């Protein structure tokens, strides 16, 4: 049975007690909702994979409430510390050499661990009250749309988690940017809530490891991911007409098309990419729920947060 409850001092306290006792809790962060467990308790972490129905063990992000706590889990170089100081708390995940205390199931056997300090007050308070780092992937079932509201998480995870903390819609709406330190150089493994341009102000020009070899370094690089039920096509501009006999959903960037679609949603009337990112997954959820066969999604400019949006749309389109 899952307890679904609004965030309050008391409910966060209860959630923290559940985490300490080896339970699982869905909680809001500034990016998307996470499905959390005590990162130092391998059995509790295993439950996360069971609930998400991940086909294999993928490494999880460990959420911390301070740089000091990060140091208990990973070796933090001067370069990594500079990024933490500048961007934490916030939507930046750093992949660093792990310390032995981190169970293998958290890192899927890798020698590195992904760390992030979230800026959402509920997430921070939960980690502090639990008194332990919290491992949490996005609170969706494997490969599906990411949850930007508590009810998205409830619909996908059914009765799995012990508790769902409802803190309203998330502010940023796409996952954190994942940055790895490999052989002394930083590499973007996943575009996300912190735009590349901002990181580059600190690091200088960055490479992106989005293509890589046969095996993705990071499962966020899986070609098909973040998918709605309906088929999704990314389009440059609205088509002149639609195929008969199909129900269309339309994800517009700035304005609705003059087309007989079943349902259309607008990412941002003013073309604001931050607003567009915040709306991305919740609009896709709505289009999916409208029971359409196909979703046409307009491309957005590939700068700043637009890169994370385009990344999610392309993977959803596979
Ligand atoms: O915004 C976010 O990052 C959300 C919230 C809940 O914090 N979390 C999230 O977690 O998106 P998840 O599990 O859905 O994505 C974690 C990403 C995956 O692409 C995973 O492959 C990568 O981080 N990752 C984790 N540990 C890694 C490691 N040691 N090396 C490389 N990639 C890693
Ligand atoms: Mg995910």
């Amino acid at each position: 049975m899952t307890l679904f409850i609004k965030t309050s001092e008391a409910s966060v306290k209860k959630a923290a007690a559940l985490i300490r006792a080896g339970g699982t809790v869905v909680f809001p962060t500034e990016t998307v909702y996470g499905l959390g467990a005590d990162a130092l308790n391998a059995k509790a972490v295993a439950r996360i994979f069971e609930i998400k129905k991940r086909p294999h063990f993928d490494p999880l992000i460990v959420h911390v409430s301070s740089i000091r706590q990060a140091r208990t889990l990973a070796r933090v170089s001067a370069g990594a510390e500079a990024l933490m100081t500048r961007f934490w708390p916030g939507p930046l995940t750093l992949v660093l050499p792990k310390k032995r205390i981190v169970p293998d199931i958290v890192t899927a056997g890798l020698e590195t661990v992904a760390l992030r300090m979230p800026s959402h007050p509920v997430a921070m308070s939960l980690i502090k009250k639990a008194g332990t780092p919290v491992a949490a992937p996005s609170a969706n079932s494997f490969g599906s749309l990411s949850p930007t509201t508590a009810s998205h998480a409830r619909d996908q995870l059914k009765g799995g988690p012990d508790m769902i903390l409802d803190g309203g819609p998330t502010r940023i709406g796409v996952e954190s940017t994942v940055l790895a330190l490999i052989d002394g150089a930083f590499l973007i493994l996943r575009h996300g809530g912190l735009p590349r341009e901002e990181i580059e102000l600190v690091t200088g020009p960055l490479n992106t490891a989005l293509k890589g070899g046969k095996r993705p370094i990071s499962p966020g690089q899986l070609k098909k991911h973040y998918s709605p039920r309906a088929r999704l096509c990314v389009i440059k501009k609205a088509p002149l007409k639609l195929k008969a006999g199909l129900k269309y959903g339309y994800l517009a960037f700035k304005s609705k098309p003059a087309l007989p679609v079943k349902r259309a949603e607008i990412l941002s009337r003013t073309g604001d990419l931050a607003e567009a990112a915040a709306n991305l997954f919740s609009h896709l959820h709505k289009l999916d729920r409208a029971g359409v066969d196909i979703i046409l999604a307009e491309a957005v400019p590939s700068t700043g947060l637009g890169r994370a949006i385009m990344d999610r749309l392309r993977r959803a389109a596979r």
Side-chain angles (χ1 to χ4, degrees), residues 1-259:
M1 257 292 284
T2 307
L3 189 60
F4 189 93
I5 188 164
K6 287 250 182 291
T7 56
S8 66
E9 182 79 24
S11 61
V12 175
K13 211 166 146 193
K14 191 172 165 78
L18 277 168
I19 297 268
R20 266 201 310 277
T24 52
V25 172
V26 171
F27 63 98
T29 81
E30 74 279 25
T31 56
V32 300
Y33 275 73
L35 169 61
D38 178 354
L40 303 181
N41 177 341
K43 209 170 135 207
V45 172
R47 191 65 197 123
I48 291 178
F49 291 101
E50 232 167 52
I51 295 172
K52 271 191 73 111
K53 301 201 180 68
R54 281 203 179 185
H56 46 85
F57 290 155
D58 289 334
L60 303 178
I61 296 174
V62 178
H63 297 71
V64 296
S65 57
S66 66
I67 296 180
R68 192 156 53 93
Q69 192 172 40
R71 286 189 191 290
T72 65
L73 305 168
R75 293 205 305 277
V76 179
S77 64
E81 177 159 1
L83 289 169
M84 290 173 176
T85 311
R86 173 75 183 77
F87 296 114
W88 279 11
L92 174 68
T93 294
L94 288 165
V95 173
L96 300 171
K98 84 174 193 89
K99 290 192 173 165
R100 254 207 304 262
I101 184 177
V102 183
D104 277 337
I105 188 167
V106 171
T107 62
L110 296 174
E111 285 305 303
T112 52
V113 62
L115 299 179
R116 155 165 137 77
M117 186 187 336
S119 69
H120 196 293
V122 171
M124 279 296 262
S125 150
L126 177 66
I127 303 164
K128 280 188 195 149
K129 287 194 165 80
T132 183
V134 174
S138 48
N140 51 341
S141 51
F142 179 78
S144 313
L145 289 175
S146 299
T148 56
T149 65
S151 54
H152 293 157
R154 175 175 54 190
D155 294 349
Q156 293 195 37
L157 303 178
K158 303 288 181 298
D162 295 312
M163 182 169 175
I164 296 178
L165 279 174
D166 180 2
T170 60
R171 180 172 60 82
I172 294 178
V174 289
E175 294 85 346
S176 60
T177 302
V178 179
L179 194 64
L181 184 58
I182 294 170
D183 298 333
F186 286 107
L187 198 67
I188 297 184
L189 298 183
R190 175 175 78 183
H191 290 297
L194 183 66
R196 176 163 110 188
E197 292 87 338
E198 286 193 39
I199 305 173
E200 286 180 332
L201 293 178
V202 177
T203 58
L206 282 173
N207 282 325
T208 306
L210 293 182
K211 300 212 174 62
K214 268 198 218 113
R215 275 193 67 203
I217 308 181
S218 169
Q221 293 170 252
L222 287 177
K223 288 208 173 94
K224 184 169 172 64
H225 209 67
Y226 312 108
S227 303
R229 269 191 299 270
R231 196 152 77 77
L232 186 140
C233 293
V234 182
I235 54 169
K236 290 253 154 55
K237 55 179 195 186
L240 295 173
K241 60 183 213 195
L242 303 174
K243 271 205 196 100
L246 282 178
K247 286 187 284 252
Y248 282 84
Y250 196 96
L251 185 66
F253 179 34
K254 291 195 275 196
S255 57
K256 288 192 182 175
L259 288 167

